[in-house]
Amino acid sequence: MVVTTALAACAAVPQITRLEAQSAPADTPYKNILVVSLFDSFDSRRYHEKETVKALEDLGTQAVALTSQVDLREPVNRDTILPVVKKLGVDAVLVTQVSNLRTTAKAQNRRPESTHNIRPTYYYNVFSVELTEYEEPPAVQYNFDLALRADLFSVESKESVWAVASETKDKSELDGDRDYSKYVDQATAVVRALKQDRLIGK
């Protein structure tokens, strides 16, 4: 059964869909979680893991980012994660990966600003008008659809005990800077869902 929860009416807020609707396992709530993000970019992984750890700690759950424990050149797989799980003594692993990312862009002309300089001439009721127009380069508007899948694995049972899809649709203007805010929103939404389902916290 698929259960959908709208966290807010705003379209920019991630929408959470439960992919595995079941009662909380016997070993919950989890108190120490290893956070793993499976993205192509190491910077994106590190940033998302950092924000997820922060969101978990804000709710009273201890958490560690995998990127803080391994070298960026190491592949992320079972052989990489298991030694970290054993070393840290975590009781759960939260794995997040991109399930869909679609972006379209279009240029938007910005409204020009202008100044007028009006001067009289030697002729009666005749004026000289100088118009100077300042126009910024076109802005680029991005329409994007970002969907992530988050799976929570119990270290005790070695099985997935919880899974959600988190989707964001929004518009934004970017001038060459990488916008990580969408990953922050996704991390916060997933952690809130963990709290709602009583997998973390008291």
Side-chain angles (χ1 to χ4, degrees), residues 135-157:
E135 186 171 358
E136 296 183 20
V140 179
Q141 178 179 291
Y142 291 86
N143 300 310
F144 65 89
D145 184 351
L146 172 64
L148 303 181
R149 177 188 171 104
D151 290 86
L152 186 68
F153 294 87
S154 166
V155 172
E156 181 179 312
S157 67

mmCIF file with all atom_site columns, all heavy atoms in Angstrom, residues 135-157:
data_model
loop_
_atom_site.group_PDB
_atom_site.id
_atom_site.type_symbol
_atom_site.label_atom_id
_atom_site.label_alt_id
_atom_site.label_comp_id
_atom_site.label_asym_id
_atom_site.label_entity_id
_atom_site.label_seq_id
_atom_site.pdbx_PDB_ins_code
_atom_site.Cartn_x
_atom_site.Cartn_y
_atom_site.Cartn_z
_atom_site.occupancy
_atom_site.B_iso_or_equiv
_atom_site.pdbx_formal_charge
_atom_site.auth_seq_id
_atom_site.auth_comp_id
_atom_site.auth_asym_id
_atom_site.auth_atom_id
_atom_site.pdbx_PDB_model_num
ATOM 1   N N   . GLU A 1 135 ? 19.994 48.063 -19.044 1.00 0.00 ? 135 GLU A N   1
ATOM 2   C CA  . GLU A 1 135 ? 19.316 46.768 -19.110 1.00 0.00 ? 135 GLU A CA  1
ATOM 3   C C   . GLU A 1 135 ? 20.268 45.664 -18.679 1.00 0.00 ? 135 GLU A C   1
ATOM 4   O O   . GLU A 1 135 ? 21.378 45.542 -19.212 1.00 0.00 ? 135 GLU A O   1
ATOM 5   C CB  . GLU A 1 135 ? 18.819 46.492 -20.532 1.00 0.00 ? 135 GLU A CB  1
ATOM 6   C CG  . GLU A 1 135 ? 17.987 45.219 -20.633 1.00 0.00 ? 135 GLU A CG  1
ATOM 7   C CD  . GLU A 1 135 ? 17.336 45.085 -22.001 1.00 0.00 ? 135 GLU A CD  1
ATOM 8   O OE1 . GLU A 1 135 ? 17.495 45.987 -22.833 1.00 0.00 ? 135 GLU A OE1 1
ATOM 9   O OE2 . GLU A 1 135 ? 16.669 44.065 -22.212 1.00 0.00 ? 135 GLU A OE2 1
ATOM 10  N N   . GLU A 1 136 ? 19.849 44.875 -17.689 1.00 0.00 ? 136 GLU A N   1
ATOM 11  C CA  . GLU A 1 136 ? 20.660 43.767 -17.200 1.00 0.00 ? 136 GLU A CA  1
ATOM 12  C C   . GLU A 1 136 ? 20.592 42.593 -18.170 1.00 0.00 ? 136 GLU A C   1
ATOM 13  O O   . GLU A 1 136 ? 19.634 42.467 -18.936 1.00 0.00 ? 136 GLU A O   1
ATOM 14  C CB  . GLU A 1 136 ? 20.165 43.316 -15.824 1.00 0.00 ? 136 GLU A CB  1
ATOM 15  C CG  . GLU A 1 136 ? 20.300 44.366 -14.750 1.00 0.00 ? 136 GLU A CG  1
ATOM 16  C CD  . GLU A 1 136 ? 19.855 43.844 -13.401 1.00 0.00 ? 136 GLU A CD  1
ATOM 17  O OE1 . GLU A 1 136 ? 19.806 42.612 -13.222 1.00 0.00 ? 136 GLU A OE1 1
ATOM 18  O OE2 . GLU A 1 136 ? 19.557 44.672 -12.530 1.00 0.00 ? 136 GLU A OE2 1
ATOM 19  N N   . PRO A 1 137 ? 21.598 41.741 -18.139 1.00 0.00 ? 137 PRO A N   1
ATOM 20  C CA  . PRO A 1 137 ? 21.545 40.542 -18.989 1.00 0.00 ? 137 PRO A CA  1
ATOM 21  C C   . PRO A 1 137 ? 20.335 39.687 -18.633 1.00 0.00 ? 137 PRO A C   1
ATOM 22  O O   . PRO A 1 137 ? 19.838 39.737 -17.504 1.00 0.00 ? 137 PRO A O   1
ATOM 23  C CB  . PRO A 1 137 ? 22.855 39.804 -18.649 1.00 0.00 ? 137 PRO A CB  1
ATOM 24  C CG  . PRO A 1 137 ? 23.738 40.843 -18.048 1.00 0.00 ? 137 PRO A CG  1
ATOM 25  C CD  . PRO A 1 137 ? 22.830 41.826 -17.349 1.00 0.00 ? 137 PRO A CD  1
ATOM 26  N N   . PRO A 1 138 ? 19.837 38.894 -19.563 1.00 0.00 ? 138 PRO A N   1
ATOM 27  C CA  . PRO A 1 138 ? 18.673 38.037 -19.261 1.00 0.00 ? 138 PRO A CA  1
ATOM 28  C C   . PRO A 1 138 ? 18.978 37.088 -18.104 1.00 0.00 ? 138 PRO A C   1
ATOM 29  O O   . PRO A 1 138 ? 20.102 36.607 -17.954 1.00 0.00 ? 138 PRO A O   1
ATOM 30  C CB  . PRO A 1 138 ? 18.455 37.267 -20.569 1.00 0.00 ? 138 PRO A CB  1
ATOM 31  C CG  . PRO A 1 138 ? 19.127 38.091 -21.614 1.00 0.00 ? 138 PRO A CG  1
ATOM 32  C CD  . PRO A 1 138 ? 20.293 38.749 -20.945 1.00 0.00 ? 138 PRO A CD  1
ATOM 33  N N   . ALA A 1 139 ? 17.970 36.840 -17.283 1.00 0.00 ? 139 ALA A N   1
ATOM 34  C CA  . ALA A 1 139 ? 18.097 35.858 -16.209 1.00 0.00 ? 139 ALA A CA  1
ATOM 35  C C   . ALA A 1 139 ? 17.702 34.487 -16.750 1.00 0.00 ? 139 ALA A C   1
ATOM 36  O O   . ALA A 1 139 ? 16.969 34.380 -17.731 1.00 0.00 ? 139 ALA A O   1
ATOM 37  C CB  . ALA A 1 139 ? 17.199 36.233 -15.039 1.00 0.00 ? 139 ALA A CB  1
ATOM 38  N N   . VAL A 1 140 ? 18.211 33.456 -16.107 1.00 0.00 ? 140 VAL A N   1
ATOM 39  C CA  . VAL A 1 140 ? 17.871 32.090 -16.496 1.00 0.00 ? 140 VAL A CA  1
ATOM 40  C C   . VAL A 1 140 ? 16.951 31.496 -15.442 1.00 0.00 ? 140 VAL A C   1
ATOM 41  O O   . VAL A 1 140 ? 17.322 31.412 -14.263 1.00 0.00 ? 140 VAL A O   1
ATOM 42  C CB  . VAL A 1 140 ? 19.122 31.212 -16.659 1.00 0.00 ? 140 VAL A CB  1
ATOM 43  C CG1 . VAL A 1 140 ? 18.718 29.793 -17.037 1.00 0.00 ? 140 VAL A CG1 1
ATOM 44  C CG2 . VAL A 1 140 ? 20.043 31.798 -17.713 1.00 0.00 ? 140 VAL A CG2 1
ATOM 45  N N   . GLN A 1 141 ? 15.738 31.127 -15.840 1.00 0.00 ? 141 GLN A N   1
ATOM 46  C CA  . GLN A 1 141 ? 14.789 30.500 -14.919 1.00 0.00 ? 141 GLN A CA  1
ATOM 47  C C   . GLN A 1 141 ? 14.803 28.997 -15.127 1.00 0.00 ? 141 GLN A C   1
ATOM 48  O O   . GLN A 1 141 ? 14.677 28.513 -16.237 1.00 0.00 ? 141 GLN A O   1
ATOM 49  C CB  . GLN A 1 141 ? 13.379 31.030 -15.149 1.00 0.00 ? 141 GLN A CB  1
ATOM 50  C CG  . GLN A 1 141 ? 12.352 30.355 -14.245 1.00 0.00 ? 141 GLN A CG  1
ATOM 51  C CD  . GLN A 1 141 ? 10.964 30.889 -14.443 1.00 0.00 ? 141 GLN A CD  1
ATOM 52  O OE1 . GLN A 1 141 ? 10.674 32.024 -14.102 1.00 0.00 ? 141 GLN A OE1 1
ATOM 53  N NE2 . GLN A 1 141 ? 10.092 30.082 -15.015 1.00 0.00 ? 141 GLN A NE2 1
ATOM 54  N N   . TYR A 1 142 ? 14.976 28.275 -14.030 1.00 0.00 ? 142 TYR A N   1
ATOM 55  C CA  . TYR A 1 142 ? 15.016 26.826 -14.076 1.00 0.00 ? 142 TYR A CA  1
ATOM 56  C C   . TYR A 1 142 ? 13.727 26.245 -13.501 1.00 0.00 ? 142 TYR A C   1
ATOM 57  O O   . TYR A 1 142 ? 13.294 26.635 -12.423 1.00 0.00 ? 142 TYR A O   1
ATOM 58  C CB  . TYR A 1 142 ? 16.203 26.295 -13.258 1.00 0.00 ? 142 TYR A CB  1
ATOM 59  C CG  . TYR A 1 142 ? 17.546 26.605 -13.865 1.00 0.00 ? 142 TYR A CG  1
ATOM 60  C CD1 . TYR A 1 142 ? 18.181 27.814 -13.605 1.00 0.00 ? 142 TYR A CD1 1
ATOM 61  C CD2 . TYR A 1 142 ? 18.184 25.701 -14.702 1.00 0.00 ? 142 TYR A CD2 1
ATOM 62  C CE1 . TYR A 1 142 ? 19.412 28.111 -14.164 1.00 0.00 ? 142 TYR A CE1 1
ATOM 63  C CE2 . TYR A 1 142 ? 19.408 25.982 -15.256 1.00 0.00 ? 142 TYR A CE2 1
ATOM 64  C CZ  . TYR A 1 142 ? 20.026 27.186 -14.986 1.00 0.00 ? 142 TYR A CZ  1
ATOM 65  O OH  . TYR A 1 142 ? 21.247 27.478 -15.538 1.00 0.00 ? 142 TYR A OH  1
ATOM 66  N N   . ASN A 1 143 ? 13.135 25.346 -14.236 1.00 0.00 ? 143 ASN A N   1
ATOM 67  C CA  . ASN A 1 143 ? 12.013 24.561 -13.727 1.00 0.00 ? 143 ASN A CA  1
ATOM 68  C C   . ASN A 1 143 ? 12.558 23.153 -13.473 1.00 0.00 ? 143 ASN A C   1
ATOM 69  O O   . ASN A 1 143 ? 13.106 22.530 -14.387 1.00 0.00 ? 143 ASN A O   1
ATOM 70  C CB  . ASN A 1 143 ? 10.864 24.504 -14.738 1.00 0.00 ? 143 ASN A CB  1
ATOM 71  C CG  . ASN A 1 143 ? 10.328 25.878 -15.060 1.00 0.00 ? 143 ASN A CG  1
ATOM 72  O OD1 . ASN A 1 143 ? 10.020 26.652 -14.172 1.00 0.00 ? 143 ASN A OD1 1
ATOM 73  N ND2 . ASN A 1 143 ? 10.238 26.197 -16.335 1.00 0.00 ? 143 ASN A ND2 1
ATOM 74  N N   . PHE A 1 144 ? 12.440 22.680 -12.265 1.00 0.00 ? 144 PHE A N   1
ATOM 75  C CA  . PHE A 1 144 ? 13.052 21.389 -11.980 1.00 0.00 ? 144 PHE A CA  1
ATOM 76  C C   . PHE A 1 144 ? 12.104 20.473 -11.220 1.00 0.00 ? 144 PHE A C   1
ATOM 77  O O   . PHE A 1 144 ? 11.192 20.908 -10.533 1.00 0.00 ? 144 PHE A O   1
ATOM 78  C CB  . PHE A 1 144 ? 14.350 21.566 -11.181 1.00 0.00 ? 144 PHE A CB  1
ATOM 79  C CG  . PHE A 1 144 ? 14.151 22.137 -9.806  1.00 0.00 ? 144 PHE A CG  1
ATOM 80  C CD1 . PHE A 1 144 ? 13.915 21.309 -8.737  1.00 0.00 ? 144 PHE A CD1 1
ATOM 81  C CD2 . PHE A 1 144 ? 14.189 23.499 -9.609  1.00 0.00 ? 144 PHE A CD2 1
ATOM 82  C CE1 . PHE A 1 144 ? 13.708 21.823 -7.477  1.00 0.00 ? 144 PHE A CE1 1
ATOM 83  C CE2 . PHE A 1 144 ? 13.990 24.029 -8.338  1.00 0.00 ? 144 PHE A CE2 1
ATOM 84  C CZ  . PHE A 1 144 ? 13.756 23.190 -7.280  1.00 0.00 ? 144 PHE A CZ  1
ATOM 85  N N   . ASP A 1 145 ? 12.373 19.203 -11.398 1.00 0.00 ? 145 ASP A N   1
ATOM 86  C CA  . ASP A 1 145 ? 11.645 18.146 -10.701 1.00 0.00 ? 145 ASP A CA  1
ATOM 87  C C   . ASP A 1 145 ? 12.698 17.229 -10.096 1.00 0.00 ? 145 ASP A C   1
ATOM 88  O O   . ASP A 1 145 ? 13.404 16.525 -10.817 1.00 0.00 ? 145 ASP A O   1
ATOM 89  C CB  . ASP A 1 145 ? 10.757 17.386 -11.699 1.00 0.00 ? 145 ASP A CB  1
ATOM 90  C CG  . ASP A 1 145 ? 9.895  16.328 -11.018 1.00 0.00 ? 145 ASP A CG  1
ATOM 91  O OD1 . ASP A 1 145 ? 10.111 16.071 -9.825  1.00 0.00 ? 145 ASP A OD1 1
ATOM 92  O OD2 . ASP A 1 145 ? 9.026  15.756 -11.690 1.00 0.00 ? 145 ASP A OD2 1
ATOM 93  N N   . LEU A 1 146 ? 12.837 17.282 -8.778  1.00 0.00 ? 146 LEU A N   1
ATOM 94  C CA  . LEU A 1 146 ? 13.836 16.486 -8.076  1.00 0.00 ? 146 LEU A CA  1
ATOM 95  C C   . LEU A 1 146 ? 13.135 15.467 -7.195  1.00 0.00 ? 146 LEU A C   1
ATOM 96  O O   . LEU A 1 146 ? 12.323 15.827 -6.353  1.00 0.00 ? 146 LEU A O   1
ATOM 97  C CB  . LEU A 1 146 ? 14.731 17.386 -7.220  1.00 0.00 ? 146 LEU A CB  1
ATOM 98  C CG  . LEU A 1 146 ? 15.709 16.676 -6.269  1.00 0.00 ? 146 LEU A CG  1
ATOM 99  C CD1 . LEU A 1 146 ? 16.733 15.868 -7.055  1.00 0.00 ? 146 LEU A CD1 1
ATOM 100 C CD2 . LEU A 1 146 ? 16.399 17.691 -5.361  1.00 0.00 ? 146 LEU A CD2 1
ATOM 101 N N   . ALA A 1 147 ? 13.443 14.206 -7.399  1.00 0.00 ? 147 ALA A N   1
ATOM 102 C CA  . ALA A 1 147 ? 12.856 13.136 -6.587  1.00 0.00 ? 147 ALA A CA  1
ATOM 103 C C   . ALA A 1 147 ? 13.973 12.284 -5.988  1.00 0.00 ? 147 ALA A C   1
ATOM 104 O O   . ALA A 1 147 ? 14.892 11.864 -6.701  1.00 0.00 ? 147 ALA A O   1
ATOM 105 C CB  . ALA A 1 147 ? 11.921 12.265 -7.419  1.00 0.00 ? 147 ALA A CB  1
ATOM 106 N N   . LEU A 1 148 ? 13.897 12.063 -4.692  1.00 0.00 ? 148 LEU A N   1
ATOM 107 C CA  . LEU A 1 148 ? 14.856 11.218 -3.987  1.00 0.00 ? 148 LEU A CA  1
ATOM 108 C C   . LEU A 1 148 ? 14.138 10.026 -3.368  1.00 0.00 ? 148 LEU A C   1
ATOM 109 O O   . LEU A 1 148 ? 12.943 10.088 -3.083  1.00 0.00 ? 148 LEU A O   1
ATOM 110 C CB  . LEU A 1 148 ? 15.557 12.004 -2.873  1.00 0.00 ? 148 LEU A CB  1
ATOM 111 C CG  . LEU A 1 148 ? 16.301 13.284 -3.249  1.00 0.00 ? 148 LEU A CG  1
ATOM 112 C CD1 . LEU A 1 148 ? 16.941 13.889 -2.009  1.00 0.00 ? 148 LEU A CD1 1
ATOM 113 C CD2 . LEU A 1 148 ? 17.336 13.032 -4.308  1.00 0.00 ? 148 LEU A CD2 1
ATOM 114 N N   . ARG A 1 149 ? 14.885 8.957  -3.158  1.00 0.00 ? 149 ARG A N   1
ATOM 115 C CA  . ARG A 1 149 ? 14.378 7.802  -2.425  1.00 0.00 ? 149 ARG A CA  1
ATOM 116 C C   . ARG A 1 149 ? 15.267 7.602  -1.215  1.00 0.00 ? 149 ARG A C   1
ATOM 117 O O   . ARG A 1 149 ? 16.504 7.575  -1.334  1.00 0.00 ? 149 ARG A O   1
ATOM 118 C CB  . ARG A 1 149 ? 14.376 6.538  -3.291  1.00 0.00 ? 149 ARG A CB  1
ATOM 119 C CG  . ARG A 1 149 ? 13.912 5.300  -2.506  1.00 0.00 ? 149 ARG A CG  1
ATOM 120 C CD  . ARG A 1 149 ? 14.086 4.011  -3.276  1.00 0.00 ? 149 ARG A CD  1
ATOM 121 N NE  . ARG A 1 149 ? 13.821 2.860  -2.417  1.00 0.00 ? 149 ARG A NE  1
ATOM 122 C CZ  . ARG A 1 149 ? 12.733 2.124  -2.443  1.00 0.00 ? 149 ARG A CZ  1
ATOM 123 N NH1 . ARG A 1 149 ? 11.783 2.411  -3.314  1.00 0.00 ? 149 ARG A NH1 1
ATOM 124 N NH2 . ARG A 1 149 ? 12.573 1.106  -1.625  1.00 0.00 ? 149 ARG A NH2 1
ATOM 125 N N   . ALA A 1 150 ? 14.648 7.474  -0.049  1.00 0.00 ? 150 ALA A N   1
ATOM 126 C CA  . ALA A 1 150 ? 15.391 7.261  1.193   1.00 0.00 ? 150 ALA A CA  1
ATOM 127 C C   . ALA A 1 150 ? 14.974 5.925  1.796   1.00 0.00 ? 150 ALA A C   1
ATOM 128 O O   . ALA A 1 150 ? 13.786 5.652  1.956   1.00 0.00 ? 150 ALA A O   1
ATOM 129 C CB  . ALA A 1 150 ? 15.129 8.390  2.182   1.00 0.00 ? 150 ALA A CB  1
ATOM 130 N N   . ASP A 1 151 ? 15.953 5.089  2.108   1.00 0.00 ? 151 ASP A N   1
ATOM 131 C CA  . ASP A 1 151 ? 15.722 3.776  2.727   1.00 0.00 ? 151 ASP A CA  1
ATOM 132 C C   . ASP A 1 151 ? 16.428 3.725  4.073   1.00 0.00 ? 151 ASP A C   1
ATOM 133 O O   . ASP A 1 151 ? 17.591 4.115  4.187   1.00 0.00 ? 151 ASP A O   1
ATOM 134 C CB  . ASP A 1 151 ? 16.247 2.649  1.833   1.00 0.00 ? 151 ASP A CB  1
ATOM 135 C CG  . ASP A 1 151 ? 15.431 2.472  0.573   1.00 0.00 ? 151 ASP A CG  1
ATOM 136 O OD1 . ASP A 1 151 ? 15.713 3.177  -0.417  1.00 0.00 ? 151 ASP A OD1 1
ATOM 137 O OD2 . ASP A 1 151 ? 14.520 1.641  0.578   1.00 0.00 ? 151 ASP A OD2 1
ATOM 138 N N   . LEU A 1 152 ? 15.734 3.234  5.079   1.00 0.00 ? 152 LEU A N   1
ATOM 139 C CA  . LEU A 1 152 ? 16.320 3.067  6.396   1.00 0.00 ? 152 LEU A CA  1
ATOM 140 C C   . LEU A 1 152 ? 16.541 1.587  6.653   1.00 0.00 ? 152 LEU A C   1
ATOM 141 O O   . LEU A 1 152 ? 15.596 0.781  6.585   1.00 0.00 ? 152 LEU A O   1
ATOM 142 C CB  . LEU A 1 152 ? 15.415 3.650  7.480   1.00 0.00 ? 152 LEU A CB  1
ATOM 143 C CG  . LEU A 1 152 ? 15.994 3.660  8.898   1.00 0.00 ? 152 LEU A CG  1
ATOM 144 C CD1 . LEU A 1 152 ? 17.161 4.635  8.998   1.00 0.00 ? 152 LEU A CD1 1
ATOM 145 C CD2 . LEU A 1 152 ? 14.922 4.021  9.917   1.00 0.00 ? 152 LEU A CD2 1
ATOM 146 N N   . PHE A 1 153 ? 17.785 1.224  6.933   1.00 0.00 ? 153 PHE A N   1
ATOM 147 C CA  . PHE A 1 153 ? 18.142 -0.178 7.165   1.00 0.00 ? 153 PHE A CA  1
ATOM 148 C C   . PHE A 1 153 ? 18.470 -0.386 8.634   1.00 0.00 ? 153 PHE A C   1
ATOM 149 O O   . PHE A 1 153 ? 19.203 0.397  9.242   1.00 0.00 ? 153 PHE A O   1
ATOM 150 C CB  . PHE A 1 153 ? 19.356 -0.580 6.317   1.00 0.00 ? 153 PHE A CB  1
ATOM 151 C CG  . PHE A 1 153 ? 19.096 -0.582 4.840   1.00 0.00 ? 153 PHE A CG  1
ATOM 152 C CD1 . PHE A 1 153 ? 19.256 0.583  4.093   1.00 0.00 ? 153 PHE A CD1 1
ATOM 153 C CD2 . PHE A 1 153 ? 18.685 -1.741 4.191   1.00 0.00 ? 153 PHE A CD2 1
ATOM 154 C CE1 . PHE A 1 153 ? 19.017 0.593  2.725   1.00 0.00 ? 153 PHE A CE1 1
ATOM 155 C CE2 . PHE A 1 153 ? 18.446 -1.749 2.821   1.00 0.00 ? 153 PHE A CE2 1
ATOM 156 C CZ  . PHE A 1 153 ? 18.605 -0.572 2.095   1.00 0.00 ? 153 PHE A CZ  1
ATOM 157 N N   . SER A 1 154 ? 17.931 -1.440 9.204   1.00 0.00 ? 154 SER A N   1
ATOM 158 C CA  . SER A 1 154 ? 18.243 -1.817 10.575  1.00 0.00 ? 154 SER A CA  1
ATOM 159 C C   . SER A 1 154 ? 19.538 -2.630 10.585  1.00 0.00 ? 154 SER A C   1
ATOM 160 O O   . SER A 1 154 ? 19.676 -3.588 9.826   1.00 0.00 ? 154 SER A O   1
ATOM 161 C CB  . SER A 1 154 ? 17.102 -2.644 11.171  1.00 0.00 ? 154 SER A CB  1
ATOM 162 O OG  . SER A 1 154 ? 17.523 -3.288 12.361  1.00 0.00 ? 154 SER A OG  1
ATOM 163 N N   . VAL A 1 155 ? 20.478 -2.242 11.432  1.00 0.00 ? 155 VAL A N   1
ATOM 164 C CA  . VAL A 1 155 ? 21.723 -3.000 11.543  1.00 0.00 ? 155 VAL A CA  1
ATOM 165 C C   . VAL A 1 155 ? 21.458 -4.366 12.161  1.00 0.00 ? 155 VAL A C   1
ATOM 166 O O   . VAL A 1 155 ? 22.069 -5.377 11.785  1.00 0.00 ? 155 VAL A O   1
ATOM 167 C CB  . VAL A 1 155 ? 22.747 -2.207 12.381  1.00 0.00 ? 155 VAL A CB  1
ATOM 168 C CG1 . VAL A 1 155 ? 23.982 -3.062 12.676  1.00 0.00 ? 155 VAL A CG1 1
ATOM 169 C CG2 . VAL A 1 155 ? 23.141 -0.927 11.655  1.00 0.00 ? 155 VAL A CG2 1
ATOM 170 N N   . GLU A 1 156 ? 20.508 -4.427 13.087  1.00 0.00 ? 156 GLU A N   1
ATOM 171 C CA  . GLU A 1 156 ? 20.200 -5.693 13.764  1.00 0.00 ? 156 GLU A CA  1
ATOM 172 C C   . GLU A 1 156 ? 19.611 -6.724 12.818  1.00 0.00 ? 156 GLU A C   1
ATOM 173 O O   . GLU A 1 156 ? 20.047 -7.880 12.787  1.00 0.00 ? 156 GLU A O   1
ATOM 174 C CB  . GLU A 1 156 ? 19.227 -5.438 14.917  1.00 0.00 ? 156 GLU A CB  1
ATOM 175 C CG  . GLU A 1 156 ? 18.851 -6.689 15.701  1.00 0.00 ? 156 GLU A CG  1
ATOM 176 C CD  . GLU A 1 156 ? 17.895 -6.378 16.847  1.00 0.00 ? 156 GLU A CD  1
ATOM 177 O OE1 . GLU A 1 156 ? 18.172 -5.429 17.597  1.00 0.00 ? 156 GLU A OE1 1
ATOM 178 O OE2 . GLU A 1 156 ? 16.874 -7.090 16.970  1.00 0.00 ? 156 GLU A OE2 1
ATOM 179 N N   . SER A 1 157 ? 18.619 -6.321 11.997  1.00 0.00 ? 157 SER A N   1
ATOM 180 C CA  . SER A 1 157 ? 17.969 -7.271 11.091  1.00 0.00 ? 157 SER A CA  1
ATOM 181 C C   . SER A 1 157 ? 18.624 -7.328 9.718   1.00 0.00 ? 157 SER A C   1
ATOM 182 O O   . SER A 1 157 ? 18.356 -8.241 8.936   1.00 0.00 ? 157 SER A O   1
ATOM 183 C CB  . SER A 1 157 ? 16.497 -6.887 10.909  1.00 0.00 ? 157 SER A CB  1
ATOM 184 O OG  . SER A 1 157 ? 16.368 -5.660 10.216  1.00 0.00 ? 157 SER A OG  1
#
